[in-house]
Amino acid sequence: MKHKNQSTSADKASSKGTARKSNLNTKSAKQTQKVNKSSQSSKVKVAKPISKTLHPRNKHNQGYDFEELILECPKLSHFVKPNPYGNLSIDFSDPQAVKSLNAAILKTDYQIEHWDIPQGFLCPPVPGRVDYLHYIADLLSDKGKVPKGQKVIALDIGTGANGIYPLLGIQSYGWQFVASDIDPISIANVASIADKNQAIKRKLSLRQQHNPNHIFSGIIAENERFDITLCNPPFHRSLEEASQGSVKKNANLAANRAKKGTAKGAASGTLTTKKPDNAVSGLNFGGQKAELWCEGGEQQFLANMITESQQFASQCLWFSSLVSKSENLKPCYALLEKLSADSVKTIEMQQGNKITRVLAWSFLTKAQRLQWAKFRNMQ
């Protein structure tokens, strides 16, 4: 089994920086170093992050133009004010300010109208989420050409009430999306957004997962094919753990405000601290149970996803998921080797001082993947 760890960019989009386009298939000795893994029979190639900027195609590399955003969404002006450095920003601990900023970004940069989420649901940072899409677009590229248009069909597992991946994927690349979630409120909210954006509605299919023990089963139909699956898994093991993480996050946010002025660091794209009125007590960043925690946490969810993915090995070109905790990668590699995955890649995304990863795997051989891409291009 081959595993490649790909460098990526940061979610801090306020600084320019220089971004070097990553080549997912590179074997250059200057970009990789070999690491022996006792749990794997093959050698792992690792490419370290070299930049703190976002993906080169990310529209948010230069930060936010608040004046333009306010022109498109005047309501945002109620939340924007200069920080101690004289830069316009918002208070990223205010859930209404964060939601208003997201709506303005989606309307201005992605032509998505009337985006909204119910109180208590997760409000994701747009720059970091679209970075995931840009890197998996590179993963799907054929001879350096990124595939665009409805020939590409993606599956978003656990789309949430925000529906951020299908919304951004459709508007950025024109792909078709199937989006699933176990929560009917989430499905209904994304459907409502799609109804107000006909270009999105034509390319989006929503499916509710009725079995909490299944991830792909009950969603992927017989003979259905997907080029890529995406997922942002719940990463806490319990409500208590989620609450403790929130306390730590809130303390870090307060410390940053004291050092840098109100939300200066957060203005670069970290939009995850908010306190909806009906959120569970102790959580300051929003999110429902299915969005934030599950039994066994991120590690168990990933193990379940990887195990179940084998049942659909020939129906998906690539499977992928975000992995927030680096210690969860090693058991994933071991399980993927046990299940005979042909190719495994890790794409590192550095978001400021935080590193997250996209884990991608395929059960198809290289020849089969090339044939898949060739057939897709012929359609």
Side-chain angles (χ1 to χ4, degrees):
M1 178 180 67
K2 295 180 180 178
H3 162 249
K4 296 181 181 180
N5 191 357
Q6 175 63 32
S7 64
T8 134
S9 52
D11 204 65
K12 285 199 171 185
S14 56
S15 61
K16 284 189 176 181
T18 57
R20 180 173 63 84
K21 186 175 182 180
S22 300
N23 182 346
L24 288 166
N25 296 314
T26 182
K27 294 184 179 179
S28 169
K30 294 181 180 180
Q31 294 174 314
T32 62
Q33 66 182 52
K34 295 183 178 179
V35 180
N36 291 323
K37 299 286 186 181
S38 59
S39 63
Q40 294 174 276
S41 59
S42 59
K43 292 182 178 179
V44 177
K45 293 184 178 181
V46 180
K48 296 296 183 181
I50 61 167
S51 173
K52 289 190 176 184
T53 59
L54 294 161
H55 188 281
R57 291 195 298 275
N58 198 309
K59 294 181 178 182
H60 311 290
N61 264 306
Q62 307 306 319
Y64 303 134
D65 185 339
F66 280 97
E67 293 180 355
E68 181 182 3
L69 293 173
I70 290 171
L71 284 176
E72 290 289 338
C73 296
K75 289 183 180 180
L76 180 61
S77 63
H78 301 304
F79 305 104
V80 176
K81 60 182 180 181
N83 61 24
Y85 290 84
N87 301 316
L88 294 178
S89 187
I90 66 167
D91 180 358
F92 282 77
S93 65
D94 181 348
Q96 295 304 316
V98 171
K99 189 164 75 169
S100 182
L101 175 59
N102 262 22
I105 292 170
L106 292 171
K107 180 179 180 180
T108 303
D109 294 322
Y110 301 97
Q111 295 73 55
I112 298 170
E113 302 281 349
H114 307 293
W115 180 86
D116 197 5
I117 53 173
Q119 284 188 325
F121 282 78
L122 200 63
C123 188
V126 174
R129 295 302 190 261
V130 79
D131 240 33
Y132 183 1
L133 289 160
H134 290 315
Y135 279 102
I136 63 171
D138 290 341
L139 180 67
L140 295 176
S141 64
D142 181 27
K143 299 178 181 178
K145 185 177 181 180
V146 172
K148 296 183 178 181
Q150 58 187 7
K151 294 178 181 179
V152 174
I153 305 176
L155 170 61
D156 181 25
I157 296 294
T159 195
N162 57 74
I164 199 68
Y165 290 123
L167 296 179
L168 292 173
I170 290 170
Q171 294 301 89
S172 297
Y173 291 103
W175 297 345
Q176 292 189 70
F177 265 83
V178 171
S180 72
D181 204 282
I182 199 167
D183 179 27
I185 297 176
S186 294
I187 292 292
N189 193 70
V190 179
S192 177
I193 297 171
D195 286 341
K196 298 165 187 172
N197 296 269
Q198 291 302 306
I200 289 173
K201 186 175 182 179
R202 288 192 294 269
K203 295 180 178 179
L204 176 61
S205 174
L206 295 166
R207 301 175 188 176
Q208 185 179 347
Q209 174 59 267
H210 296 285
N211 189 329
N213 296 317
H214 290 167
I215 296 175
F216 299 112
S217 297
I219 298 299
I220 299 178
E222 187 177 0
N223 298 323
E224 197 169 26
R225 299 289 185 270
F226 290 98
D227 295 273
I228 186 75
T229 72
L230 305 85
C231 184
N232 182 17
F235 45 85
H236 294 297
R237 296 175 181 269
S238 64
L239 175 60
E240 181 181 6
E241 183 177 287
S243 299
Q244 291 173 350
S246 178
V247 170
K248 181 178 180 181
K249 188 184 290 284
N250 197 37
N252 290 338
L253 181 65
N256 286 336
R257 284 203 302 267
K259 287 175 58 178
K260 302 179 180 180
T262 302
K264 182 176 185 295
S268 301
T270 306
L271 315 182
T272 54
T273 50
K274 39 202 164 290
K275 189 176 183 179
D277 294 337
N278 68 339
V280 178
S281 178
L283 297 179
N284 73 323
F285 49 90
Q288 298 297 297
K289 186 264 184 185
E291 295 178 310
L292 297 176
W293 64 275
C294 67
E295 186 175 350
E298 181 182 72
Q299 181 177 337
Q300 187 60 55
F301 187 93
L302 289 169
N304 294 343
M305 174 180 282
I306 290 169
T307 301
E308 193 174 332
S309 71
Q310 189 186 39
Q311 300 174 32
F312 302 90
S314 64
Q315 291 182 251
C316 297
L317 176 59
W318 287 98
F319 298 90
S320 78
S321 177
L322 287 178
V323 181
S324 65
K325 299 178 180 179
S326 61
E327 60 266 29
N328 291 338
L329 286 172
K330 188 174 181 179
C332 287
Y333 299 153
L335 180 56
L336 284 163
E337 183 176 34
K338 180 180 178 181
L339 297 175
S340 301
D342 183 82
S343 183
V344 179
K345 298 184 180 183
T346 302
I347 307 168
E348 284 193 349
M349 301 194 298
Q350 187 169 348
Q351 303 171 2
N353 293 322
K354 178 184 178 183
I355 295 178
T356 57
R357 317 135 194 95
V358 176
L359 177 66
W361 65 97
S362 179
F363 294 96
L364 303 181
T365 65
K366 183 177 181 180
Q368 289 172 322
R369 297 197 300 271
L370 291 174
Q371 185 65 28
W372 183 303
K374 182 179 179 180
F375 178 75
R376 180 182 62 214
N377 294 335
M378 291 171 59
Q379 289 181 313

